[in-house]
């Protein structure tokens, strides 16, 4: 399951900070991911229209899990709304790793294919990394294949991890000068912590990394001007842990009795934080936009000579 797939419910509204007597001193600003999503996708759509061909975006779905089917449908609708052709490559849950790899290699060769992702999780008998590594590195818009990931960390590719890009886009949207800020990245997971740390370093910034093994983590968090968190611990970050006016980019998701929650306890931090990206309604929608922006990047770098959208394998038509 990918990060944005949790983002199917309304986001909380801006939370006010009140002083003695109940008067409003100022507001903790909610960084609206849905608004930013629309802005980014609007620009993507304008550029897709200017291409000499229609880019194809493909989601590989193994099995028929209802939640996965719903999430694929959401991405299909968004891709088509910006003018891309969407293809859901559906395979039975019984497919073997070898068979899936063969099908992925067929998809790699489709004319005008500009991005392929594999819907996670895969059935347990499928070797996930082998399947991800079967993706053409130039089409791996989730950046999860070994070569695509290596190229990202070496700064050799224009395709970057969508969720990490989303965190940076939300941060950029508040026009904060980061050069003099103490930035903390909470966690070093594959989708958020590690790649967002790299993106910050690419900008010549020096984030402090916090993991479960970090000593004095409470002190480090308290001094941070910006916290980007992707640890997946529901409502872990509370108001007493952060400094006045801190910026919180919440990229964590956890299940709770009330639904999906982020790493930040919004109610607890509302009288302390300056800006917060909520869960849902923050990183999730922007991740979708950044995924399609990656597809656009591939399209812009392809040969724009029109070609038929058709591949035949064993007499079977993949696209018409």
């Amino acid at each position: 399951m990918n990060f944005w797939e949790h983002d199917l419910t309304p986001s909380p509204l801006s939370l006010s900070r009140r002083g003695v007597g109940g008067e409003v001193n100022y507001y903790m600003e909610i960084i609206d991911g849905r608004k930013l999503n629309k802005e980014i996708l609007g620009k993507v759509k304008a550029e897709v229209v200017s291409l000499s061909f229609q880019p194809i975006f493909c989601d590989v779905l193994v099995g028929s899990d209802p939640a996965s089917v719903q999430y694929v449908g959401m991405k299909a609708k968004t891709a088509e709304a910006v003018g891309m052709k969407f293809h859901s490559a559906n395979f039975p849950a019984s497919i073997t790793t070898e068979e899936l790899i063969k099908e992925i290699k067929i998809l790699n060769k489709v004319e005008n294919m500009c991005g392929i992702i594999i819907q996670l999780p895969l059935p347990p008998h499928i070797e996930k990394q082998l399947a991800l590594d079967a993706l053409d590195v130039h089409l791996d818009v989730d950046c999860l294949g070994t070569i695509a990931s290596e190229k990202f960390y070496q700064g050799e590719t224009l395709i970057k991890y969508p969720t990490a890009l989303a965190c940076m886009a939300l941060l950029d949207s508040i026009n904060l000068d980061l050069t003099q800020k103490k930035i903390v990245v909470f966690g070093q997971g594959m989708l958020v912590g590690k790649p967002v740390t790299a993106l910050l370093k690419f900008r010549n910034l020096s984030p402090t990394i916090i993991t479960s093994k970090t000593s004095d983590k409470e002190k480090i968090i308290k001094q941070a001007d910006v916290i980007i968190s992707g640890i997946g611990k529901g409502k872990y970050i509370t108001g007493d842990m952060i400094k006045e006016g801190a910026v919180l980019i919440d990229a964590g998701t956890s299940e709770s009795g009330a639904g999906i929650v982020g790493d930040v306890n919004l109610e607890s931090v509302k009288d302390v934080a300056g800006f917060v990206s909520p869960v849902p309604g923050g990183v999730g929608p922007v991740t979708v936009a950044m995924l399609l922006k990656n597809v656009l990047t591939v399209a812009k770098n392809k040969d724009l000579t029109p070609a038929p959208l058709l591949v035949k394998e064993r007499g079977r038509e993949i696209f018409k």
Side-chain angles (χ1 to χ4, degrees):
M1 187 176 293
N2 297 304
F3 179 87
W4 63 81
E5 294 164 357
H6 295 296
D7 207 275
L8 301 174
T9 54
S11 60
L13 300 175
S14 295
L15 303 173
S16 62
R17 177 183 300 182
R18 298 185 181 275
V20 177
E23 73 277 14
V24 176
N25 292 332
Y26 61 90
Y27 287 89
M28 178 184 81
E29 294 287 340
I30 293 293
I31 309 175
D32 191 343
R34 290 193 173 96
K35 179 180 178 182
L36 185 56
N37 163 281
K38 291 179 181 178
E39 293 174 0
I40 295 169
L41 290 179
K43 294 176 182 177
V44 169
K45 183 176 183 178
E47 292 200 63
V48 169
V49 170
S50 70
L51 296 171
S52 64
F53 69 100
Q54 184 180 32
I56 302 172
F57 172 45
C58 178
D59 197 331
V60 175
L61 176 64
V62 179
S64 56
D65 175 73
S68 293
V69 171
Q70 180 184 9
Y71 302 142
V72 170
M74 180 190 71
K75 284 175 278 186
K77 183 177 179 181
T78 306
E80 290 169 351
V82 298
M84 296 177 181
K85 180 179 178 66
F86 183 85
H87 176 66
S88 180
N90 301 330
F91 303 106
S94 59
I95 194 171
T96 66
T97 300
E98 293 73 20
E99 290 169 339
L100 180 60
I101 288 173
K102 188 172 184 179
E103 295 289 351
I104 290 170
K105 289 183 177 179
I106 294 171
L107 292 168
N108 284 339
K109 297 177 182 178
V110 172
E111 293 287 352
N112 296 338
M113 182 65 76
C114 293
I116 305 173
I117 64 172
I118 297 176
Q119 185 69 33
L120 301 177
L122 289 167
H125 69 278
I126 298 290
E127 295 183 65
K128 181 180 75 172
Q129 199 56 52
L130 288 180
L132 291 169
D133 288 345
L135 294 170
D136 184 322
V137 64
H138 302 295
L139 302 176
D140 186 359
V141 288
D142 251 349
C143 221
L144 295 180
T146 301
I147 297 177
S149 179
E150 289 174 353
K151 285 183 173 293
F152 165 77
Y153 286 109
Q154 293 166 0
E156 297 177 354
T157 179
L158 295 175
I159 301 175
K160 302 174 175 64
Y161 286 83
T163 305
L165 286 173
C167 292
M168 296 304 297
L170 288 162
L171 200 50
D172 290 340
S173 73
I174 62 175
N175 299 312
L176 189 67
D177 181 4
L178 298 175
T179 58
Q180 303 299 319
K181 303 298 182 184
K182 293 182 179 179
I183 305 171
V184 164
V185 177
F186 211 159
Q188 282 292 284
M190 179 179 69
L191 296 180
V192 183
K194 188 177 179 182
V196 85
T197 297
L199 290 177
L200 289 164
K201 290 181 176 179
F202 289 157
R203 295 190 185 188
N204 295 316
L205 299 170
S206 302
T208 299
I209 298 168
I210 293 181
T211 68
S212 58
K213 299 179 180 179
T214 303
S215 58
D216 296 326
K217 59 172 63 74
E218 293 80 9
K219 181 180 179 181
I220 296 171
I221 294 171
K222 192 74 172 180
Q223 295 175 343
D225 299 300
V226 176
I227 299 171
I228 302 174
S229 183
I231 58 174
K233 291 187 177 181
K235 299 186 178 182
Y236 178 84
I237 299 174
T238 55
D240 61 325
M241 296 172 64
I242 63 174
K243 72 184 294 185
E244 190 89 4
V247 176
L248 307 175
I249 304 298
D250 190 350
T253 57
S254 303
E255 298 279 354
S256 75
I260 299 299
V261 297
D263 292 345
V264 176
N265 186 324
L266 284 172
E267 182 64 26
S268 178
V269 304
K270 70 178 182 180
D271 292 327
V272 186
F275 292 87
V276 176
S277 68
V279 174
V283 173
V286 185
T287 297
V288 177
M290 288 304 181
L291 174 67
L292 294 181
K293 192 172 181 181
N294 274 347
V295 178
L296 173 64
T297 297
V298 174
K300 289 167 66 175
N301 283 279
K302 269 186 171 289
D303 181 358
L304 300 184
T305 303
L309 306 184
L310 178 66
V311 166
K312 287 188 177 181
E313 180 73 11
R314 301 184 302 278
R316 175 167 53 91
E317 292 186 354
I318 305 301
F319 292 92
K320 293 181 178 179

